[in-house]
Amino acid sequence: MRHRYDPIKQRWCQDEIRIKMEDQPFNRGAMRQCFRLKKLSKFCHSDNWLHAGNYVAKKYMESVDRSVYFEDVKLQMDAKLWGEEYNRHNPPKKIDIFQMYVIELIHEPGSPLYHLEHFIEGEYIKYNSNSGFVEDSKQCRHTPQAFSHFTFERSGHEIIVVDIQGVGDLYTDPQIHTEDGIRYGDGNLGTKGMALFFQSHECNEICHALGLEGFDLSEAERQAIIEHHASTPSSATEIRDINLVGHVVSPTLEERTDLKRMLSNSRQRTLSSLSDLGSLPEDEMPKIEKQRCTDSSAPILAISPNGNNSDEGILIDKHLDEDSSDISSIHQPPRSRFLSTSSSDGYAYDTSEGCASSTPSNAASLTKLYEQRLFGLPTRSSRVQSEHVLRSKSCLHTGDSILGQIHHDLAKYHEIGRFACDGDESKIDWQSALFHEEHAAELGVPEAIITMAKIYLMLPHDVLVNCTVPANEENTNKGVEFMLQAAEANDRASMLYMAKAFETGYGLGTKREKSYKSAVHWYQTALLTTDHDDHGEFDATMSDPNYILLAAQAKLYLSGGFGLEKDPNKAGELYSEAADEAMAAMKGQLATKFYMKADEAWAQLDEGQE
């Protein structure tokens, strides 16, 4: 029994297939072992195994829940959608991700499950991993790294497809990191996985052609990447015509809530996109060149008769030899390229010439202007400056920044010595850690804002504990700015810091002056903050109870000055309220003291009236 998954409709379907599988594995990886397998096409009405397709069945070596097999297929098929979306932007080289199924041997005891894929002939290379590894040997390629970067920006920072591996540009077993770290198995490392990718990613010519912006790294980090690749032979991909490469644009807020629907709509636009180009000025029309192949050895495309991709279109070498009926012959199949044959994939194949040709149905050749008209938003890039502009336009101050969280995670990785030479903590790059934490703070990550404020103000902090900066006027002013930003984001501890700083003038920096009026404002704001900050991430700190804050305001109103008008009546009311709060907190002696101060304040009011 074969189980197939439709990532667009998000549903499973089953059909019966006929297979022959070897008893012993011919290869194994870290988690699964591989078995050679042959499958008769459902359109074949004979038992002639000569014409059976060559496949690989993969089974986990350790016992796993049966649902894991199905989740793995979902992951790979979702990644395949992103591969199609990448191809629609007309990169120099197209990619494809293998169709994967679950097969259930219903006639075997326990009905064991296997993953089923086409057999790949060629040199198998792992181009990057889910934890920052990048292939840097002579086979180093630009396309796999650009594809991963593309998925990050095209999804609006919601996901990134990594762990790219396979033969050439035919990939298998990818991993998807999501911003919340949910779904797609234990390999989904969330924003931490995204951080590890960008820490080792250097934008290449394909990234630039797609309009992808480079991720912000410190000078030391950039230099480390350059030195790491210095001895690597150039693998630069020549861009045939940069004007034909479609630039990446961001999904709308509605599309971000359902990325699969966005990809489905993008597929549908592929079929009819150029029919809408009549509204574009003639000089803005995308240029489309039909490319024809004259190589007599070019492959041809075999497509299922009914257009159903249940037995997938296969781009096959014309000169392939017939397979032996002996299943052991699977290790010597001709080189094949497997492509999606769905009519919605946007690509037409010129079988008369034996090669794929660009046609008007290929929406990947749309210009950046037309893409922007389709989606209506500028690119949500990987660069902090661009993200900061978008957040400013949306009036976002704290939270909701995936890019900011990625920088925050990078700072934490530096702190634990992840990128230090030989893991030596004495060689931790604190400047790079500070670089990323400051970027995270700029993008409104609450914990980063508070951390940066405390570092610059020489206060104890929980993140980057051993990171220090020189004690000078400039850094103090920076710290006050961050502390004020945290206070405005409803962090109660930061409000109290600002209130006491404005009251005493200590720790206020040189850009601000002592102000009782501002102190009262922050005391009162802290008094009203009894739950969470505006992003719901930090609980309010109740170490300063309400009666203390009320008494602090009363004291300032009683003395007046520094921008605050003296008001004994207000002071008396605040002292009386503080006394009531203290009494409710079982602080009888303190309550008595506040009642006495309230009487003294009102006495000053009576004296003034006389």
Side-chain angles (χ1 to χ4, degrees), residues 52-69:
N54 294 333
Y55 286 77
V56 175
K58 301 179 180 179
K59 183 175 180 62
Y60 280 99
M61 291 182 286
E62 295 184 2
S63 178
V64 298
D65 190 89
R66 292 174 71 88
S67 64
V68 172
Y69 285 90

Side-chain angles (χ1 to χ4, degrees), residues 382-436:
S382 310
R383 194 172 293 281
V384 169
Q385 183 178 3
S386 301
E387 177 75 357
H388 187 69
V389 171
L390 287 177
R391 290 176 60 80
S392 297
K393 290 180 178 179
S394 303
C395 299
L396 293 173
H397 302 293
T398 59
D400 298 321
S401 174
I402 301 170
L403 187 62
Q405 187 61 45
I406 291 171
H407 280 282
H408 187 48
D409 289 334
L410 273 174
K412 290 182 176 180
Y413 273 130
H414 276 289
E415 181 181 22
I416 63 176
R418 173 66 182 259
F419 310 124
C421 182
D422 300 324
D424 187 350
E425 293 188 6
S426 64
K427 297 180 180 179
I428 291 176
D429 184 359
W430 290 111
Q431 289 301 315
S432 294
L434 199 64
F435 173 89
H436 290 293

Side-chain angles (χ1 to χ4, degrees), residues 109-344:
S111 299
L113 300 178
Y114 292 80
H115 286 135
L116 182 66
E117 291 181 342
H118 281 283
F119 183 84
I120 307 178
E121 172 69 14
E123 184 179 5
Y124 191 93
I125 300 174
K126 191 178 185 73
Y127 298 110
N128 63 40
S129 72
N130 70 331
S131 57
F133 164 80
V134 174
E135 168 62 34
D136 60 355
S137 67
K138 64 181 180 180
Q139 292 94 357
C140 181
R141 300 278 315 289
H142 284 347
T143 295
Q145 316 307 331
F147 169 59
S148 292
H149 191 175
F150 166 87
T151 58
F152 177 74
E153 291 200 7
R154 183 67 185 90
S155 67
H157 304 174
E158 295 289 326
I159 66 101
I160 186 170
V161 181
V162 293
D163 213 2
I164 308 300
Q165 53 197 307
V167 177
D169 290 315
L170 180 57
Y171 306 146
T172 185
D173 293 338
Q175 176 63 54
I176 298 178
H177 296 316
T178 60
E179 59 89 14
D180 54 7
I182 299 175
R183 305 186 310 282
Y184 302 128
D186 294 337
N188 179 3
L189 304 181
T191 54
K192 293 180 174 64
M194 297 177 181
L196 291 172
F197 170 80
F198 282 112
Q199 200 278 334
S200 59
H201 175 65
E202 180 181 19
C203 277
N204 54 58
E205 292 300 319
I206 301 178
C207 295
H208 300 321
L210 289 167
L212 306 175
E213 291 196 69
F215 186 85
D216 294 281
L217 295 173
S218 69
E219 187 60 35
E221 289 173 313
R222 292 190 182 280
Q223 189 61 35
I225 291 177
I226 292 172
E227 292 176 357
H228 188 63
H229 296 299
S231 59
T232 304
S234 175
S235 58
T237 302
E238 183 178 350
I239 308 299
R240 56 180 177 270
D241 188 344
I242 196 170
N243 293 321
L244 293 180
V245 179
H247 283 234
V248 180
V249 292
S250 294
T252 63
L253 291 177
E254 181 180 358
E255 287 173 331
R256 285 180 63 190
T257 62
D258 192 346
L259 290 175
K260 290 183 181 178
R261 178 177 295 180
M262 178 200 77
L263 294 176
S264 176
N265 292 339
S266 182
R267 278 175 139 224
Q268 295 171 7
R269 278 194 292 267
T270 296
L271 295 177
S272 59
S273 57
L274 293 184
S275 65
D276 299 327
L277 289 178
S279 60
L280 287 174
E282 184 175 351
D283 59 350
E284 294 179 5
M285 292 285 285
K287 300 177 181 179
I288 302 174
E289 298 179 359
K290 185 172 183 179
Q291 299 176 350
R292 305 184 69 86
C293 181
T294 59
D295 185 355
S296 61
S297 63
I300 61 175
L301 182 69
I303 303 180
S304 302
N306 64 353
N308 188 310
N309 68 345
S310 62
D311 274 82
E312 303 83 44
I314 307 176
L315 199 60
I316 308 175
D317 191 342
K318 282 183 179 179
H319 307 293
L320 64 89
D321 296 325
E322 290 186 349
D323 293 326
S324 168
S325 59
D326 182 1
I327 196 168
S328 64
S329 66
I330 294 180
H331 68 284
Q332 292 179 332
R335 293 194 64 177
S336 303
R337 177 63 186 263
F338 305 91
L339 301 169
S340 170
T341 59
S342 169
S343 62
S344 60

Side-chain angles (χ1 to χ4, degrees), residues 346-515:
Y347 299 101
Y349 293 90
D350 187 351
T351 54
S352 63
E353 291 292 333
C355 69
S357 63
S358 299
T359 73
S361 66
N362 186 351
S365 60
L366 295 175
T367 61
K368 184 177 182 179
L369 172 64
Y370 184 61
E371 286 274 11
Q372 287 179 338
R373 291 194 180 187
L374 281 176
F375 295 94
L377 281 177
T379 302
R380 188 166 192 180
S381 79
S382 310
R383 194 172 293 281
V384 169
Q385 183 178 3
S386 301
E387 177 75 357
H388 187 69
V389 171
L390 287 177
R391 290 176 60 80
S392 297
K393 290 180 178 179
S394 303
C395 299
L396 293 173
H397 302 293
T398 59
D400 298 321
S401 174
I402 301 170
L403 187 62
Q405 187 61 45
I406 291 171
H407 280 282
H408 187 48
D409 289 334
L410 273 174
K412 290 182 176 180
Y413 273 130
H414 276 289
E415 181 181 22
I416 63 176
R418 173 66 182 259
F419 310 124
C421 182
D422 300 324
D424 187 350
E425 293 188 6
S426 64
K427 297 180 180 179
I428 291 176
D429 184 359
W430 290 111
Q431 289 301 315
S432 294
L434 199 64
F435 173 89
H436 290 293
E437 191 73 348
E438 189 156 357
H439 277 324
E442 289 174 8
L443 294 179
V445 177
E447 189 177 16
I449 297 171
I450 296 169
T451 298
M452 292 306 302
K454 291 181 176 180
I455 287 176
Y456 281 125
L457 292 171
M458 314 298 166
L459 300 174
H461 45 282
D462 298 326
V463 180
L464 306 187
V465 176
N466 296 321
C467 183
T468 59
V469 296
N472 55 45
E473 180 181 304
E474 180 183 359
N475 286 337
T476 299
N477 288 332
K478 284 184 179 181
V480 173
E481 291 294 334
F482 281 119
M483 192 66 78
L484 189 59
Q485 186 179 349
E488 291 171 347
N490 289 351
D491 179 72
R492 191 170 186 269
S494 300
M495 295 176 189
L496 294 176
Y497 177 92
M498 293 308 304
K500 293 171 183 177
F502 277 119
E503 179 183 359
T504 63
Y506 177 77
L508 196 57
T510 58
K511 294 184 177 180
R512 289 176 174 80
E513 297 179 348
K514 187 175 179 179
S515 170

